[in-house]
Amino acid sequence: RKEVEQDPGPFNVPEGATVAFNCTYSNSASQSFFWYRQDCRKEPKLLMSVYSSGNEDGRFTAQLNRASQYISLLIRDSKLSDSATYLCVVNQAGTALIFGKGTTLSVSS
Amino acid sequence: GAGVSQSPRYKVAKRGQDVALRCDPISGHVSLFWYQQALGQGPEFLTYFQNEAQLDKSGLPSDRFFAERPEGSVSTLKIQRTQQEDSAVYLCASSLTWGDLLNTEAFFGQGTRLTVV
């Protein structure tokens, strides 16, 4: 079993839609959680960190449930520019980032 | 430039050839990571340095893979006797700090796309 599991996608949604991605992790010692975005043939870039209390950045909301070892990302009012692969990432302090396989989002007009 | 720089961007190697991939991290970044990303997959951890010390190499897939960072700055990932299954994008990332209390953001280079024919 992979350490970080994500919905495989792809998710195909119209502009303006709300879309949610889910992720589970297996290592209960994981301490830090992130969502990275990766555009086609580009490097991953940090989208947002995920905190236990949940956090929001504009149209993006991230949630963490430590008891269920579950992370989510909600995107409201989808834009064409949101089309990308979204990577769920976890790590313990001092260790390397562990990536999920990624979920592909395609937003169409 | 201000970002992580990797070279070459593209490399075609004949099976059995040795290759060397270079990573120039952001100046002053203590930690450096190498990842391998196959098509349609997420990045897979290979190895991690803090300054010149290689703290974790558990992700290196075989003894054909070797990484070094002798002066705590530039790093080289070497693959000996390349095989077709080594074809992937090799990503390097650096971070200002990486430790028990705080992991700051990891910045990735654009990667080296290795194709073994």
Side-chain angles (χ1 to χ4, degrees), chain B residues 25-44:
Chain B
I26 294 172
S27 178
H29 277 199
V30 169
S31 297
L32 185 145
F33 309 86
W34 283 100
Y35 286 82
Q36 179 191 62
Q37 187 171 25
L39 190 64
Q41 303 294 318
E44 295 279 349

Side-chain angles (χ1 to χ4, degrees), chain A residues 2 31-32 34 36 38 41-47 87 89 91-102, chain B residues 9-10 33 35 37 40-45 48 56 91 98-101 103 105-111 113:
Chain A
K2 282 191 69 78
Q31 295 175 289
S32 302
F34 311 92
Y36 273 69
Q38 187 171 27
R41 293 183 171 265
K42 298 287 188 181
E43 72 275 22
K45 292 184 178 177
L46 178 65
L47 177 66
L87 297 159
V89 187
N91 86 307
Q92 303 173 52
T95 66
L97 298 172
I98 304 300
F99 286 79
K101 188 176 177 178
Chain B
R9 289 290 312 280
Y10 303 92
F33 309 86
Y35 286 82
Q37 187 171 25
Q41 303 294 318
E44 295 279 349
F45 169 72
Y48 155 49
D56 187 347
L91 293 164
W98 206 263
D100 290 339
L101 296 180
N103 293 338
E105 182 178 353
F107 294 87
F108 282 81
Q110 291 187 295
R113 185 174 297 275

Side-chain angles (χ1 to χ4, degrees), chain B residues 40-51:
Chain B
Q41 303 294 318
E44 295 279 349
F45 169 72
L46 294 176
T47 187
Y48 155 49
F49 291 86
Q50 189 154 320
N51 295 307

Side-chain angles (χ1 to χ4, degrees), chain B residues 4-71:
Chain B
V4 177
S5 178
Q6 291 188 245
S7 61
R9 289 290 312 280
Y10 303 92
K11 176 69 179 178
V12 178
K14 290 185 178 179
R15 193 163 53 128
Q17 186 179 349
D18 297 349
V19 298
L21 313 180
R22 178 187 169 103
C23 173
D24 282 87
I26 294 172
S27 178
H29 277 199
V30 169
S31 297
L32 185 145
F33 309 86
W34 283 100
Y35 286 82
Q36 179 191 62
Q37 187 171 25
L39 190 64
Q41 303 294 318
E44 295 279 349
F45 169 72
L46 294 176
T47 187
Y48 155 49
F49 291 86
Q50 189 154 320
N51 295 307
E52 69 278 5
Q54 190 173 19
L55 298 187
D56 187 347
K57 55 181 181 179
S58 63
L60 296 176
S62 77
D63 59 8
R64 296 186 296 104
F65 287 71
F66 172 76
E68 60 183 4
R69 193 186 185 197
E71 297 178 358

